[in-house]
Amino acid sequence: AQSVTQLGSHVSVSEGALVLLRCNYSSSVPPYLFWYVQYPNQGLQLLLKYTSAATLVKGINGFEAEFKKSETSFHLTKPSAHMSDAAEYFCAVSSGTYKYIFGTGTRLKVLA
Amino acid sequence: DAGVTQSPTHLIKTRGQQVTLRCSPKSGHDTVSWYQQALGQGPQFIFQYYEEEERQRGNFPDRFSGHQYPNYSSELNVNALLLGDSALYLCASSTEGSRETQYFGPGTRLLVL
């Protein structure tokens, strides 16, 4: 069975500050891991994915995430927050076949 | 290159009615998955279609059914609507050769009154 836990349903950062969104997973098989972003009233946009290649994954809009097997984590970071980063972020795990298991999401607020 | 498209964008129904939502996958994709996203929650997997067959199903009742056409487009049907079916319904497409990565459409927001 697979599961995802996103720590912190709401995160606030100042513009220009580091963004850190936490994701821990549980999987009985080698996982595929994803981060998606959802802007209000829109669908999900893929930010980045881990598919068993490099453990440090770079995505769009300056985001990156590091797969740490020993910690079962896949935290999302961005060195400097921008106002346009305000959105809801979802971490998801998959066994690589059919369905994704999503976390409950983290709403990021960027303060001017 | 057109991405995943869904129709309609919004829908209002009353309890007991039936609804059909439509999805066209990204060009070159042959697999369609459907997810339900309730307000304030992460998406939950409903089912996946490949080669016009339901390949896997999540924990949803039989009131939820689907179909995939030869051109890979798909429909999600929900019968006997309940208030709790109000949600954003997301369609995602992928290819059999790269099915670990799914691309999502903008969703259909269903409100059941």
Side-chain angles (χ1 to χ4, degrees), chain A residues 32 34 36 38 41-46 49 51 88 90 94-105 107, chain B residues 33 35 37 40-45 48 55-58 88 90 98-107 109:
Chain A
Y32 293 90
F34 307 84
Y36 283 85
Q38 186 175 39
N41 300 313
Q42 294 189 24
L44 301 175
Q45 180 183 7
L46 179 65
K49 61 180 179 180
T51 57
E88 184 125 27
F90 291 94
S94 167
S95 61
T97 55
Y98 307 122
K99 65 181 180 181
Y100 284 8
I101 303 296
F102 283 89
T104 52
R107 185 169 298 278
Chain B
S33 303
Y35 292 79
Q37 185 180 15
Q41 301 294 319
Q44 293 199 346
F45 176 76
Q48 184 180 90
R55 182 154 66 174
Q56 192 181 32
R57 189 180 186 90
L88 179 67
L90 296 164
S98 185
R99 52 185 177 171
E100 77 282 352
T101 304
Q102 298 182 9
Y103 294 86
F104 285 79
R109 188 164 297 281

Side-chain angles (χ1 to χ4, degrees), chain B residues 25-107:
Chain B
K26 189 176 169 66
S27 178
H29 287 191
D30 54 13
T31 302
V32 173
S33 303
W34 286 92
Y35 292 79
Q36 180 195 65
Q37 185 180 15
L39 199 61
Q41 301 294 319
Q44 293 199 346
F45 176 76
I46 302 175
F47 42 53
Q48 184 180 90
Y49 276 83
Y50 173 68
E51 291 190 336
E52 303 179 49
E53 298 280 338
E54 181 182 294
R55 182 154 66 174
Q56 192 181 32
R57 189 180 186 90
N59 189 25
F60 280 81
D62 292 345
R63 297 187 298 110
F64 290 77
S65 63
H67 187 78
Q68 185 179 35
Y69 294 93
N71 67 353
Y72 309 121
S73 67
S74 176
E75 290 180 353
L76 164 66
N77 300 293
V78 186
N79 294 322
L81 284 167
L82 303 174
L83 295 180
D85 295 331
S86 295
L88 179 67
Y89 289 85
L90 296 164
C91 169
S93 73
S94 54
T95 64
E96 180 63 9
S98 185
R99 52 185 177 171
E100 77 282 352
T101 304
Q102 298 182 9
Y103 294 86
F104 285 79

Side-chain angles (χ1 to χ4, degrees), chain B residues 16-33:
Chain B
Q17 285 189 313
Q18 178 265 344
V19 68
T20 297
L21 311 182
R22 296 177 174 82
C23 171
S24 292
K26 189 176 169 66
S27 178
H29 287 191
D30 54 13
T31 302
V32 173
S33 303

Side-chain angles (χ1 to χ4, degrees), chain A residues 4 6 23-24 33-36 74 89-93 101-103:
Chain A
V4 170
Q6 291 185 240
C23 173
N24 288 88
L33 293 159
F34 307 84
W35 276 99
Y36 283 85
F74 190 59
Y89 292 80
F90 291 94
C91 180
V93 65
I101 303 296
F102 283 89

Side-chain angles (χ1 to χ4, degrees), chain A residues 18-81:
Chain A
L18 171 72
V19 175
L20 171 61
L21 304 183
R22 300 178 185 275
C23 173
N24 288 88
Y25 71 91
S26 172
S27 180
S28 56
V29 299
Y32 293 90
L33 293 159
F34 307 84
W35 276 99
Y36 283 85
V37 61
Q38 186 175 39
Y39 297 99
N41 300 313
Q42 294 189 24
L44 301 175
Q45 180 183 7
L46 179 65
L47 274 178
L48 49 80
K49 61 180 179 180
Y50 167 77
T51 57
S52 75
T55 57
L56 182 61
V57 181
K58 294 188 184 298
I60 62 172
N61 301 339
F63 284 95
E64 64 181 37
E66 186 172 8
F67 172 69
K68 293 187 176 180
K69 184 178 179 180
S70 61
E71 299 177 9
T72 61
S73 68
F74 190 59
H75 301 332
L76 181 71
T77 61
K78 182 175 180 178
S80 177

